[in-house]
Amino acid sequence: MAMHVFLAGGTGAVGRLLLPLLLDAGHRVAATSRTPRGIAWLRAQGAEAVRLDMFDRAGVLDAVAAAAPQVIVHQLTALADANLADNARIRREGTRNLVDAAHRAGVERIVAQSISWAYEPGEGPATEATALDTDAPEPRATSVDGVLALERAVAELPEHVILRYGMFHGPGTWYEPDGPVAGRLRRGELAADGSVTSFLHVADAARAALAALDWPSGVVNVVDDEPAAAHDWMPVLARALGVPAPAPSQGRPGWARGADNTRARTAYGWQPREGSWRDCFERLAADRPTVPVTAHAGAAR
């Protein structure tokens, strides 16, 4: 069924891929951006463009009321500069403003972006039943607290789907050749230890958000099928980028455990189409000449 969707974060890494999917599915979309360039891009795609700063509470309340959507899709992040404090703030304050605007405008449904690496320490990939890491020390506590604030606010609406995404790779992410992870690899700043990450291609994240318009309320991990330790994925990315791979090591923080996607597959019928992190990184390698690399010794995270 076609709906009127308010897409918060229409020009972000996920939003840029999600908007065409929403429009192709017949949905009417009001999408937000903070910049004139973003507004122009949204209009060119066929969306109702809304220039909006999500920290402007009155502006958010007015924008949602004017749009009068049937559902809000929350894809807000502040990760362009890899500033986790800014991202936690958008989760706390931006989400609060969106949810309050939904209450005021009578919007009962929201689909929201969360993360799958805020779980408490343990062994094996975390499921949705695993508690979040409320005892985390700083600087991790900043991110976890932001996730808690986002998820609690979103759950106030009678219909809410919380997508705990894996670590994004693909276009516009930290793992592209010009991204911050690549930069840290080139500078020898990363340790290839046993820390486990569950990844997700941004195109698969966009497809999950589209599908979630029809999912029942709840929390769901949206990750690929291959949780991977840093000493497994980092050499693959280093080879793809043509930079030295860190020397492998063991040990991991207890929370760096990855996430299980069984519920997404069995209860929601979702599965990744873009393949795993390995497929993505190997595609990067295929796009560049093969260059011999050597390992960094004593690299530190």
Side-chain angles (χ1 to χ4, degrees):
M1 180 182 70
M3 290 184 280
H4 186 193
V5 178
F6 188 91
L7 174 57
T11 55
V14 177
R16 292 181 70 88
L17 299 178
L18 174 57
L19 177 58
L21 297 181
L22 291 167
L23 294 171
D24 288 348
H27 300 297
R28 177 184 166 198
V29 183
T32 74
S33 175
R34 292 181 297 112
T35 68
R37 182 178 179 182
I39 291 298
W41 184 85
L42 293 172
R43 287 178 177 147
Q45 304 309 302
E48 302 167 21
V50 181
R51 189 171 181 186
L52 189 61
D53 181 342
M54 285 297 165
F55 297 125
D56 175 5
R57 179 175 174 79
V60 175
L61 294 174
D62 290 345
V64 174
Q70 294 164 285
V71 57
I72 292 173
V73 178
H74 175 354
Q75 295 291 335
L76 297 168
T77 60
L79 291 172
D81 298 322
N83 187 316
L84 298 182
D86 286 349
N87 203 44
R89 184 186 174 208
I90 199 71
R91 286 175 177 148
R92 290 191 315 271
E93 298 179 29
T95 304
R96 182 72 267 162
N97 291 339
L98 270 179
V99 170
D100 287 348
H103 285 312
R104 181 172 295 189
V107 181
E108 296 188 342
R109 184 165 184 81
I110 188 168
V111 174
Q113 175 184 147
S114 187
I115 59 173
S116 65
W117 58 93
Y119 289 111
E120 68 182 4
E123 296 299 322
T127 71
E128 293 85 351
T130 304
L132 297 183
D133 193 6
T134 56
D135 294 325
E138 291 291 0
R140 176 169 164 78
T142 294
S143 293
V144 176
D145 290 347
V147 168
L148 283 166
L150 179 151
E151 295 193 0
R152 286 169 178 163
V154 165
E156 293 175 13
L157 297 188
E159 299 177 22
H160 56 273
V161 181
I162 296 169
L163 304 172
R164 289 181 178 165
Y165 286 142
M167 183 67 73
F168 291 149
H169 60 82
T173 72
W174 289 358
Y175 292 82
E176 288 294 276
D178 59 350
V181 172
R184 294 189 69 191
L185 269 175
R186 291 188 180 95
R187 295 189 296 272
E189 296 174 355
L190 298 179
D193 63 8
S195 296
V196 175
T197 298
S198 280
F199 287 94
L200 181 69
H201 195 284
V202 285
D204 283 326
R207 294 188 189 103
L210 174 68
L213 293 176
D214 298 318
W215 289 356
S217 291
V219 175
V220 57
N221 291 334
V222 181
V223 299
D224 73 16
D225 299 324
E226 192 176 346
H231 54 61
D232 291 326
W233 67 259
M234 210 172 283
V236 179
L237 180 59
R239 183 169 62 251
L241 298 173
V243 301
S249 60
Q250 299 300 314
R252 69 170 177 88
W255 58 265
R257 57 191 294 185
D260 182 277
N261 69 6
T262 300
R263 186 178 185 194
R265 285 180 170 277
T266 59
Y268 299 90
W270 177 88
Q271 59 184 357
R273 294 185 190 175
E274 299 295 326
S276 71
W277 58 269
R278 189 184 303 277
D279 300 312
C280 181
F281 296 166
E282 288 179 350
R283 286 194 291 267
L284 288 178
D287 292 338
R288 63 172 304 280
T290 302
V291 178
V293 298
T294 57
H296 279 298
R301 174 169 290 172

